[in-house]
Amino acid sequence: MSGAVDAVRCVGLVHRFGDVLAVDHLDFRVGSGEVVGLLGPNGAGKTTTIRLINTLLPVREGTVEVFGVNVRSNPMGVRRLIGYVPQQLSIEGALTGRENVTLFARLFDVPRRERADRVREALALLDLEDAADRTASTYSGGMVRRLELAQALVSRPALLVLDEPTTGLDPLAREGVWERVRRMRDEHGMSVLLTTHYMEEADELCDRLVLMHRGALQAEGTPSQLKAAVGPGASLDDVFRHFAGGELRAPEQEGLRDVRATRRTARRLG
Amino acid sequence: MSVPPVAPRADWGSGVAPRNAVALAGSRIVAFCVVEWQKLMHDRTELVTRAIQPVLWLVVFGETFSRVRAIPTGSLSYLQYMAPGIIAQSGMFVAIFYGIQIIWERDAGILAKLLVTPTPRVALIAGKSFAAAVRALAMVVVILLVSVVIGVGMTANPLRLLGAGASVVLGTIFFSCLSMVIAGLVMSRDRLMGIGQAITMPLFFASSALYPVSMMPTWLQHLSTANPLSYEVSSLRTLLLGNPGNLWSDFAVLTVAAVLGIIAASRLLGRLAR
Ligand SMILES: Nc1ncnc2c1ncn2[C@@H]1O[C@H](COP(=O)(O)OP(=O)(O)O)[C@@H](O)[C@H]1O
Ligand SMILES: [Mg+2]
């Protein structure tokens, strides 16, 4: 890792939605070959941070670099390096699994001679060969997530970006996702940035954690470093409670804010 | 868990060298057309349900007015005269509602994934509008065959048929981009559906699809002149039936409309991406 350029480098990153400060002077890095977890309660700014890194939102204040490529000056270069799985399950149900993955092979300019093999390789990696020629509308939630991982991996990205990859999955499906992420890191040296609010996931999967709250960085370190910092015998749950503090003890408020946000979204979507 | 990180393998994470803009746009257009064709093949019912209305226009309206001879159509029978109009209309209907798909993809999170692929927005919109043309062409082929079956003698010259296809593609690009522009403004499927239904018939009637422009009141003539559908219909009449017309100006207008449509829709794509 020494000498290698960081997979992600954020410096002084700020993002506002109107009056809402969603990301507040955030500094963090993801080393090459590292699995880093962005951890924080709902509304902490995890998704916004991810959307700034993957060029979906414009970076107006601060700097983001992916493998040394600046997101603002070369967004197209950054997109070629990233495989992205959004928070929402999002595949084209009218197409088969193979067709879904092939579309992304084309959109990432996988050469035509290699395309069919690369698609097969990605589907095999996620154990979807048997279901590959069924329309994706027949897939279970766990299979959809794996199909999305296959879509993200078919371009052989250097950085995998996963927004709450296992939310809503059953424990078995969750294990399946973890196993694939580990393999990507171990066998291909892939760097991974993921968000989660599952402590178990953070503990099991991540080399390093970045704790966010209200858009700002609260703590950073390996799971064991963070636990040690809070006290002997502390669990990651304790760490989370310690750093996200009083807010977590007022769940009804958090809930209300969420409901309002959902209503806003619903109105926006019509 | 504490496996030391390894260096990226040479064949992974290297990305692919960027290509020139034209090759890139071309490959994205192919990608989206392939996907549209695959969707069409998985669900062919739409092809049938959407064909019912234009076939009724041809069979009921066309046959009846051919007998009445109320509309002066020169050397062509009325059925012949209106067939290219109905063909163009069937393609336009597909295109006008295409924006619904973009809104659906946005709500489903698919648009976000497409936007973080190395695809410039203009190429994404161009790809989507050509994909709409794939769907419209499939529709048009169905209506064309029905027209032939009910006795509209059409050209069998492959070059002329190819030209007719090009005209339908250009018209569909314009109308699907119009639909995506409206999608970017209203950002709701229901509202787009409503607006689509409100404008399709006026666009159809304010064109030369059903009657010669010379029969229209002056204000409608002006509307018809500004309506790309008129140029599509006119070029189809020339190409399919040998009706005298000006193919150069028809195609010039259609090309300009298609290009402007793509530019306008890509400008508004950002609103949907937010
Ligand atoms: N498109 C948007 N428009 C307005 N506010 C937003 C938008 N997206 C997120 N926010 C707000 O920004 C804050 C951070 O949201 P988000 O990044 O989604 O958090 P997380 O992913 O950690 O749950 C929240 O207060 C949220 O309401
Ligand atoms: Mg989120």
Side-chain angles (χ1 to χ4, degrees), chain A residues 41-48 87 163-164 195 197:
Chain A
N42 278 330
K46 306 182 295 292
T47 296
T48 307
Q87 192 168 339
D163 198 353
E164 298 196 14
T195 73
H197 49 226

Side-chain angles (χ1 to χ4, degrees), chain A residues 47-94:
Chain A
T47 296
T48 307
T49 303
I50 295 244
R51 288 161 63 92
L52 287 162
I53 293 169
N54 74 9
T55 75
L56 265 177
L57 289 172
V59 175
R60 298 202 187 91
E61 203 179 326
T63 308
V64 181
E65 282 174 7
V66 176
F67 289 100
V69 181
N70 192 299
V71 167
R72 205 181 329 199
S73 60
N74 186 4
M76 214 53 94
V78 168
R79 289 179 198 168
R80 289 195 182 275
L81 296 168
I82 295 182
Y84 168 55
V85 178
Q87 192 168 339
Q88 193 179 1
L89 290 178
S90 51
I91 41 112
E92 181 57 75

Side-chain angles (χ1 to χ4, degrees), chain B:
Chain B
M1 198 204 80
S2 50
V3 182
V6 291
R9 240 170 57 175
D11 58 337
W12 281 67
S14 51
V16 176
R19 308 190 288 169
N20 73 59
V22 176
L24 193 77
S27 89
R28 298 309 184 261
I29 288 169
V30 170
F32 286 113
C33 286
V34 167
V35 160
E36 200 65 36
W37 181 254
Q38 289 166 337
K39 282 192 216 165
L40 201 59
M41 289 301 104
H42 289 307
D43 181 10
R44 295 173 215 194
T45 53
E46 193 193 289
L47 225 45
V48 176
T49 52
R50 285 219 170 153
I52 292 172
Q53 217 186 17
V55 168
L56 284 178
W57 273 103
L58 279 174
V59 175
V60 180
F61 196 83
E63 296 270 25
T64 310
F65 273 70
S66 287
R67 294 216 182 94
V68 178
R69 295 180 203 281
I71 297 169
T73 48
S75 57
L76 304 174
S77 76
Y78 184 69
L79 186 62
Q80 278 183 314
Y81 179 85
M82 85 177 299
I86 300 301
I87 287 168
Q89 179 234 36
S90 66
M92 181 189 75
F93 274 30
V94 171
I96 277 289
F97 292 105
Y98 198 77
I100 290 173
Q101 191 181 318
I102 284 270
I103 295 183
W104 181 84
E105 287 184 355
R106 163 214 156 102
D107 293 351
I110 295 172
L111 187 60
K113 286 203 318 200
L114 296 178
L115 283 166
V116 297
T117 65
T119 304
R121 287 183 179 172
V122 173
L124 184 66
I125 291 292
K128 287 286 179 185
S129 59
F130 271 92
V134 166
R135 202 167 270 271
L137 274 177
M139 186 79 253
V140 160
V141 168
V142 172
I143 307 303
L144 200 73
L145 292 176
V146 171
S147 312
V148 171
V149 168
I150 64 171
V152 181
M154 300 248 187
T155 182
N157 180 335
L159 268 180
R160 281 171 171 266
L161 287 173
L162 218 60
S167 169
V168 170
V169 169
L170 287 171
T172 308
I173 290 174
F174 172 76
F175 285 112
S176 62
C177 285
L178 177 65
S179 179
M180 291 189 274
V181 163
I182 300 170
L185 293 175
V186 303
M187 300 207 266
S188 125
R189 264 180 284 178
D190 296 340
R191 264 175 270 165
L192 177 53
M193 190 74 128
I195 293 174
Q197 272 158 359
I199 65 173
T200 40
M201 279 303 164
L203 280 169
F204 181 41
F205 290 132
S207 77
S208 58
L210 291 178
Y211 27 73
V213 175
S214 58
M215 281 186 71
M216 300 177 186
T218 327
W219 63 270
L220 199 56
Q221 288 190 6
H222 290 309
L223 279 182
S224 172
T225 313
N227 184 352
L229 189 66
S230 294
Y231 300 88
E232 186 183 340
V233 172
S234 156
S235 66
L236 291 182
R237 249 176 222 138
T238 306
L239 287 162
L240 295 175
L241 302 170
N243 200 44
N246 190 341
L247 283 181
W248 286 111
S249 70
D250 288 345
F251 272 89
V253 171
L254 287 171
T255 306
V256 170
V259 170
L260 290 180
I262 289 175
I263 293 170
S266 6
R267 284 290 168 86
L268 278 167
L269 190 58
R271 274 173 62 92
L272 288 167
R274 218 179 41 88

